[in-house]
């Protein structure tokens, strides 16, 4: 099988184009691929349509740095603090420039990607009837089926889905555990899939538990070994959420100048993800590391 | 016994949960309300967390977000967001908690835009799962700070529908079920009355009716059986303080 290992720099350079629609994290609060967002900013990618149910401050920083043309999301802000300053500045004042918003709920964005995964043109739902979301997002259509009012959610097949996993082999077979959000739907719907993995493991390790596989390797375009990729968000079994980082971001990004300083400190003045981890600090990362071990009971896959 | 307004709100929210119910647990105070209900009057309650977690007992540790690692350890089911939404769409969720920036007299909640959505004065973060919970759960519970600018005559944008314009509006829209069960604020608890308008059902201890009315953006009616909100019991406070000893959420 084809080997798909690339560096983070190569993966973003080779598979993300200006103007692409990109799912960036799909597990909501955990497993957010911040390392990929930082690299996108270092490579100055532009005019992205960023897609996710909730990806915490990842969207806010991409918007503030001017990489985003459109936000397709259920929620954008700072989960610890509430509002996202850059998101507000862009929508309310067009600063650094105006962005388009495609309003969704968690269910409708989940259905859009599930529809994409199914190869269906749309999926119907009883949710969102009577909401402003149906008015501000004209792609959602109210229809009647057998006398029942429904909202038809058009499917989304993103150009790229960037997702985090705990471990993958070099062919893109990967294990993801904990809450899944809409990561599996996004992986199946993506025209290209980039996986950031805490660890690269032997294929036999992944094959030992096929029920835990996110998608088979043939759907995956690129695999990046990238320990610490989700910081400041958590990865089950590896590290906890760095709550203070989110609060500090909120305080420091209140003004445009404050955000520029933050961006310079953590993204633009560092050359790589490894440098970023150094900037965050070893002591801080060590304090977040998961120290206990709680293994699942083994399952027997034997044939006879 | 001394307690904070936050603790009273958590306890009031917990008491809205009946035993054996399936609860869609929202961020912040509802995560503690679920724990209080579970460890006091509702031992068989089940909690849904929209990131894709089902729990039949609360985490012992304080959660800052529902996707924190302690919320996954000991979960009953880790799955997709869609799976939980599918069950809720079928009618399997008894009640769900949300917060909001604005709510109006018919219980419509806005977490999206202040002003016109094409040219908003303030861009709020958006729905998350709130719009889905408002439309698909059997009973919507809302927790908010009681301020005149937040409890408004009419919201600028309906993110999560309550009773719309009142009366049978939900049925007319085709919404399959549900509606507001209660609104729990820093001053009292409201429930839908005639024409599905929110009326004051109880006032928190030490709060005057006038203060509640002055801080409400519509001509608030007191319900027929207006009472004082029952203060927290020691066993309820014990649960809150065992999880949140420093008062991060309730201080």
């Amino acid at each position: 099988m084809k080997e798909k290992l690339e560096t983070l720099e190569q993966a973003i350079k080779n598979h993300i184009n200006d103007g692409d629609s990109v799912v960036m994290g799909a597990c909501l609060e955990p497993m957010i691929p911040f390392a990929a967002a930082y690299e996108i900013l270092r490579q100055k990618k532009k005019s992205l349509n960023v897609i996710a149910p909730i990806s915490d401050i990842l969207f806010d920083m991409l918007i503030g740095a001017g990489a985003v043309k459109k936000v397709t999301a259920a929620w954008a802000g700072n989960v610890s603090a509430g509002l996202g300053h850059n998101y507000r500045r862009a929508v309310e004042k067009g600063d650094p420039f105006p962005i388009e918003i495609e309003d969704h709920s968690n269910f409708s964005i989940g259905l859009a990607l599930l529809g994409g995964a199914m190869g269906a043109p749309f999926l119907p739902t009883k949710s969102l009837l009577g909401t402003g979301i149906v008015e501000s997002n004209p792609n959602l259509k109210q229809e009647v089926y057998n006398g029942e009012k429904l909202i038809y959610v058009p499917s989304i097949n993103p150009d790229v889905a960037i997702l985090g996993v705990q471990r993958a082999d070099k062919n893109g077979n990967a294990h993801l555990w904990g809450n899944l959000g809409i990561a599996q739907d996004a992986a199946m719907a993506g025209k290209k899939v980039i996986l950031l993995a805490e660890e690269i493991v032997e294929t036999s390790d992944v094959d030992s538990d096929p029920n835990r596989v996110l998608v088979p390797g043939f759907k995956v375009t690129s695999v990046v070994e990238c320990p610490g990729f989700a910081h400041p968000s958590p990865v089950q079994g590896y590290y906890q959420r760095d709550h203070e980082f989110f609060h500090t971001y909120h305080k420091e990004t209140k003004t445009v100048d404050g955000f520029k300083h933050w961006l310079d400190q953590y993204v633009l003045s560092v050359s790589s993800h490894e440098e970023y981890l150094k900037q965050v600090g070893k002591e801080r990362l060590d304090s977040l590391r998961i120290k206990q071990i709680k293994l699942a009971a083994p399952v027997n896959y034997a044939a006879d | 016994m001394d307690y904070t307004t936050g603790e009273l709100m958590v306890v009031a929210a917990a008491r809205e949960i009946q035993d054996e119910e399936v609860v869609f647990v929202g961020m912040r105070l509802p995560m503690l309300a679920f724990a209080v209900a579970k460890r006091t009057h509702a031992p068989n309650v089940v909690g849904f967390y929209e990131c894709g977690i089902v729990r039949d007992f609360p985490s012992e540790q304080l959660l800052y977000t529902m996707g924190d690692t302690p919320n996954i350890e000991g979960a009953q089911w880790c799955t997709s967001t869609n799976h939980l939404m599918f069950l809720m769409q079928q009618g399997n969720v008894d009640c769900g908690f949300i917060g909001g920036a604005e709510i109006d007299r018919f219980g419509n909640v806005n977490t999206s835009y202040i002003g016109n959505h094409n040219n908003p004065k303030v861009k709020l973060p958006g729905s998350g799962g709130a719009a889905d919970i408002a439309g698909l759960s059997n009973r919507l519970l809302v927790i908010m700070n009681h301020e005149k600018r937040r409890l408004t005559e009419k919201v600028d944008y309906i993110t999560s529908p309550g009773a719309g314009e009142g009366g049978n509006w939900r049925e007319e829209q085709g919404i399959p079920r549900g509606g507001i069960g209660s609104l729990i604020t820093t001053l009292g608890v409201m429930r839908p009355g005639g024409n599905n308008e929110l009326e004051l059902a109880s006032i928190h201890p030490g709060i005057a009716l006038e203060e509640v009315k002055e801080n409400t953006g519509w001509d608030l009616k007191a319900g027929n059986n207006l009472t004082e909100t029952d203060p927290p019991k020691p066993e309820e406070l014990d649960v809150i303080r065992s999880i949140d000893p420093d008062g991060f959420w309730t201080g």
Side-chain angles (χ1 to χ4, degrees):
Chain A
M1 205 172 169
K2 198 180 154 197
E3 288 198 12
K4 294 168 178 176
L5 271 181
E6 290 181 298
T7 64
L8 182 60
E9 195 182 344
Q10 289 169 332
I12 300 302
K13 188 164 183 281
N14 295 342
H15 308 298
I16 307 279
N17 297 311
D18 289 350
D20 274 355
S21 58
V22 187
V23 170
M24 298 210 63
C27 287
L28 286 73
E29 294 87 0
M31 309 295 292
I32 303 171
F34 279 99
Y38 300 147
E39 185 58 30
I40 280 173
L41 293 180
R42 282 192 288 270
Q43 294 191 20
K44 304 210 171 354
K45 301 287 182 184
K46 292 278 178 246
S47 303
L48 302 176
N49 171 12
V50 288
I51 304 168
I54 293 173
S55 274
D56 218 316
I57 58 173
L58 183 147
F59 280 14
D60 193 73
M61 61 181 70
L62 288 177
I63 292 165
V68 175
K69 176 186 65 181
K70 181 177 175 182
V71 169
T72 304
W75 196 97
N78 181 325
V79 174
S80 287
L83 300 167
H85 296 303
N86 286 314
Y87 187 43
R88 283 194 59 183
R89 279 191 284 266
V91 178
E92 295 164 19
K93 297 177 188 156
D95 182 7
F97 49 77
I99 54 169
E100 194 187 328
I101 297 173
E102 184 171 325
D103 282 306
H104 277 277
S105 68
N106 281 343
F107 195 15
S108 71
I109 192 78
L111 288 174
L113 288 165
L114 175 60
M118 291 168 69
F122 68 90
L123 289 174
T125 179
K126 295 180 198 173
S127 194
L128 302 191
L129 291 161
T131 66
I133 297 170
V134 178
E135 289 165 36
S136 63
N137 177 353
N139 294 333
L140 301 171
K141 294 196 172 53
Q142 187 170 312
E143 302 283 349
V144 176
Y145 177 78
N146 276 352
E148 190 176 26
K149 285 179 185 161
L150 296 168
I151 302 297
Y152 285 8
V153 181
S155 299
I156 294 176
N157 288 98
D159 292 319
V160 192
I162 306 179
L163 302 167
V165 295
Q166 279 94 345
R167 61 191 183 203
D169 72 8
K170 50 189 189 287
N171 310 118
N173 301 293
H175 281 173
L176 170 62
W177 63 90
N179 66 295
L180 302 178
I182 54 173
Q184 196 159 36
D185 309 294
M188 286 171 64
K191 293 174 193 161
K192 290 185 277 190
V193 177
I194 299 173
L195 296 183
L196 307 192
E198 283 296 320
E199 291 183 76
I200 300 299
V201 296
E202 294 299 323
T203 298
S204 56
D205 289 341
V206 181
D207 287 353
S208 74
D209 194 0
N211 278 116
R212 211 181 305 283
V213 171
L214 180 66
V215 281
F218 79 87
K219 272 297 287 181
V220 174
T221 316
S222 177
V223 185
V224 180
E225 182 176 15
C226 194
F229 71 82
H231 178 271
S233 74
V235 174
Q236 199 72 21
Y238 289 79
Y239 43 91
Q240 294 185 286
R241 188 171 186 270
D242 188 347
H243 305 297
E244 198 48 44
F245 196 91
F246 291 88
H247 288 293
T248 306
Y249 178 87
H250 188 68
K251 274 183 239 146
E252 294 190 1
T253 59
K254 202 161 187 177
T255 62
V256 173
D257 282 348
F259 172 67
K260 282 181 178 160
H261 179 261
W262 183 93
L263 188 67
D264 198 51
Q265 184 185 357
Y266 284 106
V267 184
L268 301 181
S269 76
V270 300
S271 58
S272 65
H273 177 62
E274 290 71 26
E275 288 286 319
Y276 165 82
L277 294 179
K278 274 187 204 154
Q279 178 76 352
V280 174
K282 186 176 181 307
E283 204 177 318
R284 183 173 190 157
L285 294 171
D286 281 347
S287 73
L288 297 169
R289 202 153 292 288
I290 301 292
K291 291 155 192 97
Q292 309 291 322
I293 291 178
K294 192 173 180 188
L295 300 177
V299 293
N300 186 4
Y301 281 104
D304 48 47
Chain B
M1 195 166 185
D2 280 348
Y3 53 86
T4 66
T5 303
E7 287 173 331
L8 179 64
M9 289 169 80
V10 167
V11 167
R15 289 174 188 159
E16 298 290 322
I17 299 171
Q18 311 295 315
D19 198 13
E20 302 194 2
E21 285 195 324
V22 174
V23 180
F24 220 104
V25 185
M27 282 287 287
R28 301 171 190 254
L29 298 186
M31 296 197 287
L32 288 170
F34 173 69
V36 171
K38 183 83 199 178
R39 299 223 189 113
T40 56
H41 64 278
N44 302 301
V45 70
V46 172
F48 276 27
Y49 300 80
E50 64 190 0
C51 58
I53 298 170
V54 175
R55 291 192 70 98
D56 60 357
F57 69 95
S59 166
E60 304 276 336
Q61 292 183 48
L62 184 66
L63 301 175
Y64 296 89
T65 84
M66 56 183 74
D68 288 0
T69 47
N71 208 32
I72 292 171
E73 181 181 339
Q76 190 179 31
W77 191 25
C78 283
T79 184
S80 74
T81 298
N82 275 334
H83 278 164
L84 301 187
M85 294 293 180
F86 296 162
L87 291 171
M88 185 160 70
Q89 186 163 243
Q90 282 189 62
N92 286 161
V93 171
D94 296 293
C95 62
F97 283 99
I98 67 170
E102 267 195 335
I103 189 166
D104 68 21
R105 70 194 301 161
F106 293 112
N108 305 298
V109 179
N110 177 15
T111 51
S112 299
Y113 299 93
I114 304 291
N116 185 294
H117 68 79
N118 290 314
N119 186 20
K121 203 159 76 181
V122 181
K123 179 69 191 92
L124 301 165
S127 160
D132 308 308
I133 296 169
L136 301 176
S137 71
N138 282 289
R139 203 166 77 248
L140 181 67
L141 306 168
V142 185
I143 300 186
M144 274 179 57
N145 282 337
H146 203 128
E147 298 167 36
K148 196 159 196 160
R149 68 187 176 101
R150 293 183 181 276
L151 277 74
T152 182
E153 173 71 32
K154 192 169 168 51
V155 290
D156 290 339
Y157 181 100
I158 299 179
T159 312
S160 305
E165 293 154 11
N168 297 323
W169 181 88
R170 286 180 73 93
E171 290 80 1
E172 287 158 19
Q173 298 299 311
I175 299 172
R177 66 185 75 84
I180 292 250
S182 66
L183 165 64
I184 298 155
T185 76
T186 39
L187 301 180
V189 178
M190 297 184 195
R191 296 184 194 283
N195 197 31
N196 275 322
E197 181 179 323
L198 287 174
E199 297 178 355
L200 192 61
S202 78
I203 305 184
H204 296 337
I207 306 291
L209 178 59
E210 273 316 300
E211 187 181 348
V212 184
K213 288 193 167 195
E214 276 167 20
N215 285 287
T216 304
W218 68 88
D219 184 16
L220 179 66
K221 292 174 194 153
N224 290 332
N225 302 310
L226 180 65
T227 59
E228 188 172 90
T229 311
D230 282 337
K233 296 184 190 119
E235 59 267 33
E236 291 167 328
L237 289 174
D238 284 349
V239 177
I240 296 173
R241 290 171 188 177
S242 74
I243 298 172
D244 189 11
D246 300 326
F248 183 84
W249 291 122
T250 54

